[in-house]
Amino acid sequence: MEHKNFIANRIADDIASGRTPKIVLRFPPEPNGYLHLGHAKSIVLHDLLAEEFDAELTLRFDDTNPKKESTEYVDAISHDAAWLTPRFSRTRWTSAYFEDIHRCAVHLIERGLAYVDDSDPETMRLMRGDFGRGGTASPGRALSIPENLALFARMRAGEMAEGAAVLRARIDLVHPNMNLRDPVLYRVSHAEHHATGKDWPIYPMYDFAHPIADALEGVTHSLCTLEFEDHRPLYDWVIEHCFAVLGARPVQIEFARLEVEGIVLSKRKLNALVESGHVAGWDSPALPTLAGLRARGYTPAVLREFAVRCGFTKANSTVPAETMAEVVRDILSPVASRRMAVADPVEFVIDNLPESFEVEVPNHPKDTSFGTRRRLFTAKLWIDRADIRTEAEPDFWRVYPGNWVRLKHGLNVLIKAVETEDGKIVRVVSEADIGSRDLKAARHKAKTAIHWLSDAESFAVPAQHYGPLLDVDGECDVNCVTRTTMLVERGLEAPAHYEFERLGYFYFAEGILHHLASLKTAGARTR
Ligand code: ATP
Ligand code: MG
């Protein structure tokens, strides 16, 4: 049977062969920032696999780097992960395994597979060599097992200064894969840890802690992004040589990172924007964090569909920015109420309307369960500047002097004048064919229907439009929010999603309209 992606195929094989009867997965964020759209892709992948294989899914905080981590991030990540999916059945912390990880380190030293290196960091870097040149041994490599045990005990006891010594695996100093050239397993750090406080003056490196945490949790398939492919041999080395302590053999599988055109997906860069005060916080709607995307009005359903549409593959690629707009349209179209809005209002007067009248309009073009609403048609309306020209133009069928147009759901009007001040259109004057409320009775055919708001039913709302959050020379450009005022129908609920006819999808919350996607037809309707 073909499964939805290559990882699902692999897991299915492992179940079929009996290697892993019960599947356990984990999503392992480091609590050094908020989750972003890239993490959403990983969470959705884990979620789909957990659903398909009835797997256990753990939220694991990979908290081995106390200097950058905090409980604020732990709380935000927990909240955002649960917002995206209810499938996380337990939360674990790598820091809860510090004793076990330490035991694995001692186990390796006892077998001559790890040693304490007190070279200064720069010397150590030079001695690892590079792609064309093998590494050379530092003096620590020649120490006896008891000497290494004693030195590591001193590291553990807090007797070493930061940077004074590290514990390294003894693997292969000339290995073509740099990750295997006696990688660092433990470093000294006297920073206070958000969970373990001052208990530990040493912290395990990601490459050492990760496989151990996976094994201890019974994780069967440890999914990560492609940049860890070169680290897999080290993952396997740790599992192999600590098997006597751990008793489990998880496997690492890599998939392509999500990259979206024009969107910065890096906690480090997003953190810089927050720290420098360019945005109010991690939950600013300008940011592609889950908290920011939620504030902007993206729903879990939209983000899930986006992840699925981007696909789970082994090849890196950049997703076009338009993909998100497509997903928004597809997901929101069936669930968003239709309303009228005018982006750039110009006064529109009907000279001869004897009295206002009400029209009943559907709240959704396809789904009658949305019901209808009554709108007021009056002699003073607002229409969009984009619908108006001062004179006829080829292929332009909308508002210009002498043309007949239909006011959607209303009646047909003849445009008598388009008034300007200093070259700017300020007012349109028209005359109605009163009988054309019944389209069949219209005296003149109108080639197109335009949208309108009556002065009596409209109110002005601030709107935010989002451009790409670009990465310019390694720096984020946050001048990506444009603010406008839109006229919309009274009576919008909040928070809620709306499709404004002709304009697109918006999220209305706390008095602000957030633009999520334009309509596909918006460009085609320029006539
Ligand atoms: P960043 O570079 O933004 O800090 P990270 O990979 O360092 O991201 P982690 O907290 O370590 O962030 O990530 C947790 C999990 O989310 C990892 O398994 C990682 O592979 C995955 N992940 C992070 N960014 C992306 C992305 N852009 N696409 C897919 N998965 C991602
Ligand atoms: Mg990271």
Side-chain angles (χ1 to χ4, degrees), residues 98-118:
F98 279 167
E99 285 294 350
D100 307 271
I101 300 170
H102 180 262
R103 193 174 328 128
C104 286
V106 171
H107 175 82
L108 292 177
I109 300 171
E110 286 171 350
R111 275 149 194 82
L113 292 170
Y115 60 96
V116 174
D117 187 350
D118 63 358

Side-chain angles (χ1 to χ4, degrees), residues 185-232:
L185 304 179
Y186 259 99
R187 67 199 185 284
V188 174
S189 171
H190 295 290
E192 181 149 342
H193 189 279
H194 75 96
T196 60
K198 288 275 193 188
D199 290 355
W200 291 87
I202 53 172
Y203 290 93
M205 304 301 287
Y206 172 92
D207 281 336
F208 189 47
H210 210 87
I212 295 173
D214 285 343
L216 290 170
E217 283 171 7
V219 168
T220 51
H221 299 79
S222 177
L223 317 183
C224 62
T225 36
L226 269 183
E227 67 270 25
F228 289 101
E229 194 169 20
D230 286 350
H231 296 238
R232 192 185 340 130

Side-chain angles (χ1 to χ4, degrees), residues 107-280:
H107 175 82
L108 292 177
I109 300 171
E110 286 171 350
R111 275 149 194 82
L113 292 170
Y115 60 96
V116 174
D117 187 350
D118 63 358
S119 319
D120 65 275
E122 180 56 15
T123 308
M124 206 181 307
R125 194 182 63 76
L126 290 173
M127 291 180 75
R128 286 183 76 206
D130 53 37
F131 287 108
R133 197 167 46 89
T136 41
S138 56
R141 212 175 201 261
L143 294 176
S144 69
I145 290 171
E147 284 170 314
N148 277 314
L149 285 170
L151 282 171
F152 190 56
R154 287 188 54 207
M155 283 174 68
R156 167 70 185 99
E159 290 168 24
M160 303 271 199
E162 287 191 22
V166 294
L167 182 73
R168 294 177 70 174
R170 186 198 300 271
I171 303 180
D172 183 353
L173 282 174
V174 293
H175 202 283
N177 181 343
M178 296 293 286
N179 294 306
L180 293 182
R181 291 193 186 175
D182 289 15
V184 175
L185 304 179
Y186 259 99
R187 67 199 185 284
V188 174
S189 171
H190 295 290
E192 181 149 342
H193 189 279
H194 75 96
T196 60
K198 288 275 193 188
D199 290 355
W200 291 87
I202 53 172
Y203 290 93
M205 304 301 287
Y206 172 92
D207 281 336
F208 189 47
H210 210 87
I212 295 173
D214 285 343
L216 290 170
E217 283 171 7
V219 168
T220 51
H221 299 79
S222 177
L223 317 183
C224 62
T225 36
L226 269 183
E227 67 270 25
F228 289 101
E229 194 169 20
D230 286 350
H231 296 238
R232 192 185 340 130
L234 179 52
Y235 185 101
D236 292 342
W237 185 93
V238 173
I239 290 298
E240 190 54 40
H241 293 283
C242 298
F243 186 77
V245 182
L246 301 171
R249 287 188 207 280
V251 295
Q252 174 181 305
I253 306 172
E254 309 86 18
F255 64 96
R257 240 181 136 74
L258 177 70
E259 283 177 54
V260 188
E261 185 186 51
I263 299 189
V264 171
L265 293 179
S266 147
K267 276 184 284 188
R268 187 178 56 74
K269 287 179 185 168
L270 296 175
N271 188 30
L273 291 177
V274 176
E275 290 287 306
S276 62
H278 277 88
V279 292

Side-chain angles (χ1 to χ4, degrees), residues 353-360 374-375 377 406-413 432-443:
L353 195 72
E355 56 187 352
S356 309
F357 58 88
E358 279 191 342
V359 291
E360 188 172 355
R374 303 190 76 77
R375 297 186 56 202
F377 192 92
R406 184 163 187 84
L407 294 162
K408 193 175 181 186
H409 304 302
L411 37 64
N412 290 6
V413 290
D433 168 4
I434 305 294
S436 65
R437 279 183 67 181
D438 174 6
L439 195 55
K440 289 191 287 296
R443 283 187 282 128

